[in-house]
Amino acid sequence: MYKHLIIVLLCALGSAQLYAQGSVSGRIIDENGDPLPSATVMLTAKSDSVLAAFAMSNSEGNFKLSTVDQGAYFLQVTFLEYEQFNRDIEVGKKAGELALGDLTMLEKSTTLDDVEITDERIPIRIKGDTVEYDAKAFTTRPNSNVEDLLKRLPGVEVDQDGNIKAQGESVTKILVDGKEFFGDDPKVASKNLPAEAVDKVQVFDKMSEIAEFTGIDDGERNRTINLALKEDYKTGYFGNVMGGYGTQERFEAKANINRFSETSQLSFLGMANNINEQPFSIQDYITFMGGLNRVLQSGTLRGGGMFRGGGAGNIGVLSGTGQLGSGINTVGAGGLNFNQDFGKKTTLQSSYFYNYLRNDLTQRSTRENILEGSSFLTNDTTSSQDINHNHRLNLRLNHKIDSLSELLLIGSGRYNLTDGVSSNDINSLTGAELQNRSRRDELTAGDLTNLDSRLQYRRKFRKRGRALVVEGTAAFNGTDQEIDLQAVNTILLDTFGTFIDTLRQDQQADQSQLDLGGKISYTEPIGKRKYLEFNYTHQESFIDLNKDFFNVAENGAASLDSLLSNRYDGRWRYDQAGANFRLVKKKFNLNLGLNVQRSALDGTIGLQDTSLNKTFFNVLPSLRWRWSPSKASRMRFNYTARVNAPTIEELQPVLDNSNPFNLYIGNPDLEAETAHNLRLNYFFFDMFSFTGFFASLNATYTQNKISQATTVDSSFRQLTTPINVDNDLRINFNANFNTPIRALGVKIGLTPTVTYNRAITFINDVENPTNRLVSGGEARIENRKKNWLDAVGGVRLSHNLTTYAIDADMNQTFLNTTYFADVTATFLKNTNLNTRFDYTVYSGGGFNDNVSVPLWRASLSKTFLGNDRAELKASVFDLLNLNRGISRTTEINYLEETRANALGRYYMLSFTYKIISVGKKR
């Protein structure tokens, strides 16, 4: 009875509400009676000034505001270079349309000597799948870069290391007027281009190249930002140069010069510093500092894009002070980006970039290793210096043969040269009792070469949707490396006393891989907005690995150690065929696919005279669905299945005892992983209230997950081998909510995140299911009007909980909290005072103690000369001189704390000069 009564009341209220609603219409014209399209019409309630309705006039100047409640309103109409139109209106109780007729707007009549013309701007527009921000509506300080602009845009996040997220997803590329800028690294553009050159910031999901050509959406998208430049900046040159020097011999220098015309873009970037500022992504940092130096200890060879990366796929959560990498980094970089339109048919996009990186590191790590029913500690004291030189070249050439076909050539190359020296002292203990010890000194030298090319022919046919794509690929990867190792290993044996082993080795490795492949795809329309695509891919990889270990005697004589040395010669190939059904509607897109893949590995282990022969057969379904119920909201769901084959090192039954405390042997019985990935995204942004909500849910379930089994003896020497396990699950959720609170003059943002991982390892033949839950996020508040004061503050949380099935007493939990505030005040028109304070608290939990790290930075800058061309800045880093390089990491079978040398307090004086001559056609 009560349920029916509630329904009746709701219906009555709804009927009353509908009865009390009407609409407001009219036509916007100028003094000559001509319509004004795209005029902004806003209706606000007189009682509280809340926005009630919003519209834009159409091409005929007409507008209509629907479902307006009864009451008194204030009507406001704005249009560029016209006086604002205002009128009081009343919407009556009776339903119907309030027709206002023609509303005439008057042109602004001003005298430039005494009147400043300001434009009414719409900060954000939703254009289909694109969120477009008007850069002028988001104030930045003089000489700000694009990264500073992005930080002010609702729904866009930039973390401490410069990584960018838009609407909850990572941005993989930044384009400049639709063209690449120094390849795919978004940081190069965000950290170097000036914010004042940008007219619009367009955030969108970039379709695949084939979908862009054919016009048929295949559901593949990558989050991308396009920087639409102001018209003046599309012709002429602009940029700036900066130099600074400070105490502790700290220095920083930057230069970026851009020369643009209607048909070309030429940009130069250069920088050098020793204050841990990098112009490249963290992926490059990992490649430089760790990838090449570990070739001899771990296998990372890939075949045909199908070999999985090393490791068991564990999740590690790193918490630090926001400095990229550990230690003190000295950086030098420079490069050229050149884009050219050769007429209407041929375009070239190219870039060359060079990086120099020297890392000086002193650190101490304490790791608690989890065993069944117990644990042991490993202390590692490291001192190292690594020097890396990296060259990168990117090329993209597109030629339109005719209106229906085109050729695309994409090429890239990388050459990396590294030298390093390191010293390690590693102790394993139970409680305070030493069990073993290793002292290692290494000299490392090596180089890495990577070449990749793709040639693609695309053809559309007269019948819409019919298309043919033929593609050929070729790639080469090669590394050469040498390590001079000296080690003293001490093992304390209960029965036989102390065993000391002195090792001197010359380790040499070279490996090469040649990849050749081809793909053909044909799409046929089968009805209205329905398409069927057939595809076939073949790829082969030829792999050659030589690893030689030479034992060096006291007199310097070297002899080959055949037990450690290794030879491998093999071929990896796979064939994949499938079909995709596509349904493309105005508001939604559906893609259903089914692929069948057969892959095979044939190889020979030379010194052992054994062979490896593996064959994998997989059925791989896929589903992509996109729905846009309105311009303000959209939803996306993706399901894909992927095969990850084991690496060569994981398959070879060859014992690697180069480190006698950490032995490794491959497993020839490994099966390939099959990873099932589901992704759900939701986007909503109300451009009337500037309220946005973005959410993303990702889940990956892996069959035959390649994990590891570890055996630990009484002296804590470990033998690890890869194995297949089931039920590996990883779930990640993140969201972003932001909205203004107009009454307080602020806007708030909430970014919750949750990551769950269920993984399985084996320790001493005991299965060890491990559950990890990492939850937290960020809450921030900032002022809306930033004419003279720009203030933001908030808190970031990361709570880590790890539970072990083998022993609940080993469960670990800890909380990291960072309070932050960033305030900039502008006074005397061209003077800026900035202060930023981060206070990070690392709770004890499974670690020994609580640690607090306050980091306070401040600067005072003044711009002068015409158009703020010059800036003088005095700054101080770590004002309290309490910065510490600390990180805490948990994995599925250990937790670790690392403390490294970090930048301390220094003062710096810098000068920046803006170079600009734009708007001149040549």
Side-chain angles (χ1 to χ4, degrees):
M1 176 178 178
Y2 293 107
K3 180 174 69 174
H4 293 89
L5 180 59
I6 292 172
I7 293 174
V8 171
L9 289 173
L10 289 175
C11 291
L13 289 172
S15 300
Q17 180 70 22
L18 288 173
Y19 180 78
Q21 288 181 336
S23 63
V24 179
S25 64
R27 181 168 175 258
I28 311 300
I29 60 174
D30 63 13
E31 293 174 280
N32 299 320
D34 296 325
L36 294 178
S38 300
T40 303
V41 184
M42 291 181 289
L43 199 65
T44 57
K46 280 190 173 182
S47 58
D48 53 13
S49 298
V50 172
L51 182 66
F54 176 93
M56 298 183 70
S57 60
N58 61 18
S59 60
E60 301 299 325
N62 296 314
F63 73 90
K64 185 174 183 178
L65 304 171
S66 302
T67 60
V68 179
D69 295 338
Q70 66 175 14
Y73 292 95
F74 183 71
L75 180 73
Q76 180 186 81
V77 184
T78 58
F79 193 76
L80 186 65
E81 296 183 356
Y82 281 75
E83 299 285 354
Q84 182 172 291
F85 179 91
N86 301 311
R87 176 179 290 186
D88 294 335
I89 66 170
E90 183 96 17
V91 177
K93 295 182 179 180
K94 294 184 178 180
E97 179 177 331
L98 176 60
L100 301 178
D102 290 340
L103 305 180
T104 303
M105 300 191 70
L106 305 177
E107 285 191 76
K108 289 181 178 178
S109 177
T110 59
T111 303
L112 295 180
D113 291 338
D114 56 10
V115 177
E116 179 183 1
I117 300 176
T118 59
D119 300 335
E120 295 287 342
R121 307 180 71 91
I122 300 176
I124 304 174
R125 293 180 186 270
I126 308 295
K127 297 182 176 180
D129 289 340
T130 300
V131 181
E132 183 180 86
Y133 301 87
D134 188 333
K136 192 175 181 180
F138 302 92
T139 306
T140 56
R141 298 185 298 274
N143 299 316
S144 294
N145 58 21
V146 168
E147 181 177 282
D148 298 323
L149 172 62
L150 296 179
K151 290 178 179 179
R152 299 176 183 272
L153 306 183
V156 179
E157 305 167 59
V158 184
D159 68 16
Q160 297 176 90
D161 295 326
N163 302 304
I164 305 166
K165 282 188 175 182
Q167 288 85 54
E169 289 193 42
S170 297
V171 173
T172 59
K173 181 179 292 189
I174 289 183
L175 306 176
V176 179
D177 273 343
K179 297 179 180 179
E180 291 187 354
F181 189 79
F182 284 96
D184 292 336
D185 188 348
K187 287 187 183 180
V188 178
S190 65
K191 289 181 174 294
N192 291 282
L193 286 175
E196 68 176 358
V198 179
D199 181 40
K200 301 289 192 301
V201 177
Q202 298 161 338
V203 180
F204 63 100
D205 288 330
K206 190 176 187 299
M207 294 192 297
S208 68
E209 294 173 345
I210 296 176
E212 289 179 342
F213 174 73
T214 62
I216 307 303
D217 192 349
D218 58 9
E220 294 185 14
R221 300 296 180 99
N222 288 303
R223 189 56 50 92
T224 302
I225 288 178
N226 179 55
L227 304 175
L229 299 180
K230 296 174 181 176
E231 286 299 322
D232 285 350
Y233 282 81
K234 295 181 180 181
T235 55
Y237 58 88
F238 60 93
N240 57 60
V241 293
M242 186 274 279
Y245 191 77
T247 59
Q248 310 296 323
E249 297 185 342
R250 298 297 165 202
F251 67 89
E252 182 180 18
K254 289 182 181 179
N256 76 82
I257 301 174
N258 306 276
R259 172 67 174 88
F260 287 5
S261 72
E262 294 178 352
T263 58
S264 67
Q265 296 178 347
L266 178 63
S267 299
F268 165 77
L269 298 179
M271 70 172 299
N273 69 75
N274 61 355
I275 57 173
N276 284 13
E277 290 285 340
Q278 275 86 11
F280 39 77
S281 297
I282 188 66
Q283 290 84 357
D284 284 331
Y285 179 84
I286 293 171
T287 298
F288 300 160
M289 302 307 299
L292 191 60
N293 289 352
R294 302 295 177 260
V295 169
L296 287 163
Q297 282 75 33
S298 63
T300 56
L301 278 173
R302 297 174 179 267
M306 297 303 299
F307 275 97
R308 57 180 296 278
N314 306 332
I315 296 177
V317 177
L318 178 65
S319 300
T321 58
Q323 299 300 314
L324 180 59
S326 299
I328 307 299
N329 297 308
T330 301
V331 174
L336 287 172
N337 187 85
F338 177 65
N339 299 329
Q340 178 71 48
D341 295 338
F342 299 98
K344 296 182 179 180
K345 290 189 174 183
T346 306
T347 60
L348 171 69
Q349 299 177 46
S350 61
S351 65
Y352 165 77
F353 204 63
Y354 165 75
N355 293 313
Y356 166 84
L357 175 61
R358 190 188 78 191
N359 174 256
D360 295 284
L361 174 68
T362 302
Q363 73 175 24
R364 177 179 174 83
S365 300
T366 301
R367 174 183 293 189
E368 183 178 6
N369 303 274
I370 308 300
L371 301 177
E372 72 284 8
S374 64
S375 65
F376 69 96
L377 296 178
T378 302
N379 294 326
D380 182 355
T381 302
T382 299
S383 176
S384 66
Q385 182 183 91
D386 287 293
I387 298 176
N388 290 269
H389 303 267
N390 178 268
H391 304 263
R392 285 184 291 168
L393 181 67
N394 292 284
L395 175 72
R396 179 187 179 93
L397 183 64
N398 184 277
H399 175 68
K400 294 183 179 180
I401 301 173
D402 52 39
S403 60
L404 297 176
S405 58
E406 66 181 27
L407 276 174
L408 175 65
L409 174 64
I410 298 177
S412 64
R414 172 177 294 182
Y415 178 72
N416 194 85
L417 184 67
T418 182
D419 292 284
V421 56
S422 65
S423 177
N424 295 77
D425 191 346
I426 306 171
N427 301 321
S428 296
L429 309 95
T430 52
E433 185 177 350
L434 180 68
Q435 298 296 324
N436 60 55
R437 181 176 187 178
S438 177
R439 294 184 177 180
R440 301 168 63 89
D441 294 293
E442 292 185 6
L443 293 174
T444 304
D447 63 81
L448 179 149
T449 303
N450 173 266
L451 301 172
D452 200 350
S453 62
R454 176 159 59 100
L455 180 62
Q456 190 177 86
Y457 170 75
R458 309 167 179 168
R459 178 169 177 80
K460 294 184 289 188
F461 296 88
R462 299 293 179 185
K463 187 174 183 179
R464 174 176 168 77
R466 181 179 293 169
L468 175 68
V469 179
V470 181
E471 180 180 278
T473 60
F476 174 79
N477 293 275
T479 61
D480 291 287
Q481 187 177 25
E482 183 174 359
I483 294 180
D484 182 6
L485 171 66
Q486 298 186 59
V488 178
N489 303 310
T490 303
I491 303 175
L492 304 180
L493 303 174
D494 293 337
T495 306
F496 303 101
T498 302
F499 173 75
I500 300 178
D501 175 43
T502 301
L503 179 66
R504 171 77 186 276
Q505 278 187 343
D506 181 15
Q507 304 176 358
Q508 300 177 8
D510 64 86
Q511 58 185 29
S512 64
Q513 179 173 315
L514 176 65
D515 300 328
L516 299 173
K519 180 178 180 179
I520 184 169
S521 170
Y522 176 76
T523 303
E524 177 68 21
I526 57 174
K528 187 177 181 180
R529 299 182 179 271
K530 300 181 183 71
Y531 308 89
L532 196 60
E533 184 248 352
F534 302 93
N535 61 79
Y536 170 73
T537 302
H538 175 78
Q539 185 153 341
E540 296 200 20
S541 298
F542 302 90
I543 308 163
D544 184 65
L545 169 66
N546 295 301
K547 186 188 295 185
D548 292 325
F549 284 31
F550 295 91
N551 295 318
V552 182
E554 291 184 3
N555 61 4
S559 59
L560 180 68
D561 190 328
S562 58
L563 295 178
L564 296 180
S565 300
N566 191 16
R567 304 279 192 278
Y568 178 80
D569 181 25
R571 182 176 70 163
W572 165 263
R573 62 187 184 277
Y574 77 89
D575 295 271
Q576 187 180 95
N580 292 280
F581 168 76
R582 295 184 182 127
L583 176 62
V584 181
K585 295 286 189 180
K586 184 177 181 180
K587 290 190 175 183
F588 77 90
N589 174 287
L590 177 66
N591 188 98
L592 291 170
L594 185 67
N595 281 18
V596 178
Q597 178 176 305
R598 182 187 183 275
S599 48
L601 173 67
D602 300 307
T604 302
I605 304 173
L607 296 180
Q608 284 74 27
D609 195 23
T610 58
S611 61
L612 278 175
N613 298 287
K614 302 287 292 186
T615 300
F616 308 105
F617 182 85
N618 299 90
V619 178
L620 305 175
S622 64
L623 168 64
R624 294 185 177 94
W625 175 71
R626 303 181 79 253
W627 179 44
S628 302
S630 68
K631 290 184 178 181
S633 63
R634 60 180 178 266
M635 183 179 293
R636 182 175 64 186
F637 174 80
N638 284 356
Y639 163 75
T640 56
R642 178 178 172 84
V643 177
N644 299 316
T647 67
I648 299 301
E649 294 288 336
E650 289 170 334
L651 286 169
Q652 291 186 96
V654 179
L655 181 67
D656 182 351
N657 66 346
S658 55
N659 183 343
F661 297 122
N662 290 281
L663 309 177
Y664 183 89
I665 188 170
N667 178 5
D669 297 324
L670 282 178
E671 297 294 329
E673 296 179 348
T674 302
H676 303 269
N677 180 259
L678 295 97
R679 173 178 291 184
L680 178 64
N681 300 87
Y682 176 75
F683 164 87
F684 170 81
F685 188 85
D686 185 346
M687 64 181 179
F688 308 141
S689 65
F690 301 133
T691 297
F693 176 73
F694 322 109
S696 176
L697 176 66
N698 292 276
T700 301
Y701 173 76
T702 306
Q703 295 173 297
N704 291 322
K705 176 72 175 181
I706 298 178
S707 184
Q708 60 188 22
T710 302
T711 302
V712 183
D713 67 14
S714 59
S715 297
F716 301 110
R717 292 172 294 184
Q718 302 180 50
L719 173 63
T720 301
T721 187
I723 59 171
N724 290 113
V725 299
D726 273 329
N727 301 318
D728 184 275
L729 177 64
R730 183 178 305 180
I731 301 174
N732 174 262
F733 171 79
N734 66 77
N736 178 280
F737 171 78
N738 57 82
T739 188
I741 303 178
R742 291 181 172 83
L744 300 178
V746 301
K747 60 179 179 179
I748 61 172
L750 301 174
T751 309
T753 62
V754 179
T755 299
Y756 170 78
N757 179 222
R758 184 183 189 277
I760 298 174
T761 60
F762 280 79
I763 300 177
N764 288 340
D765 297 324
V766 176
E767 183 177 348
N768 179 29
T770 303
N771 294 282
R772 296 193 59 251
L773 180 66
V774 182
S775 56
E778 178 181 287
R780 60 191 292 134
I781 183 171
E782 60 182 295
N783 64 316
R784 298 184 66 218
K785 295 183 179 180
K786 301 179 181 291
N787 296 330
W788 68 274
L789 180 67
D790 183 1
V792 59
V795 60
R796 284 185 293 269
L797 302 172
S798 177
H799 180 262
N800 296 257
L801 173 63
T802 305
T803 61
Y804 301 96
I806 57 176
D807 190 349
D809 292 336
M810 297 292 116
N811 294 348
Q812 307 292 340
T813 180
F814 64 91
L815 173 68
N816 297 333
T817 307
T818 298
Y819 305 94
F820 62 91
D822 194 338
V823 180
T824 299
T826 302
F827 53 95
L828 301 178
K829 290 186 178 180
N830 53 9
T831 303
N832 291 292
L833 175 63
N834 171 260
T835 182
R836 176 178 170 182
F837 186 74
D838 295 88
Y839 185 74
T840 303
V841 181
Y842 302 93
S843 70
F847 300 94
N848 292 329
D849 56 356
N850 295 336
V851 179
S852 300
V853 181
L855 186 58
W856 188 5
R857 286 161 277 196
S859 68
L860 179 66
S861 63
K862 180 179 179 60
T863 58
F864 53 97
L865 300 183
N867 197 27
D868 293 321
R869 281 180 176 265
E871 180 186 71
L872 190 65
K873 177 189 286 188
S875 57
V876 56
F877 176 84
D878 189 17
L879 191 61
L880 302 177
N881 202 28
L882 292 174
N883 186 30
R884 285 180 281 180
I886 179 173
S887 64
R888 287 179 170 176
T889 309
T890 61
E891 293 284 357
I892 60 174
N893 57 352
Y894 70 84
L895 69 158
E896 182 176 56
E897 178 182 275
T898 299
R899 303 196 181 199
N901 58 321
L903 281 176
R905 180 170 56 203
Y906 66 86
Y907 300 87
M908 181 173 286
L909 184 66
S910 62
F911 175 76
T912 301
Y913 184 77
K914 179 165 57 179
I915 303 169
I916 183 169
S917 178
V918 296
K920 300 177 181 180
K921 296 186 177 180
R922 300 175 183 267

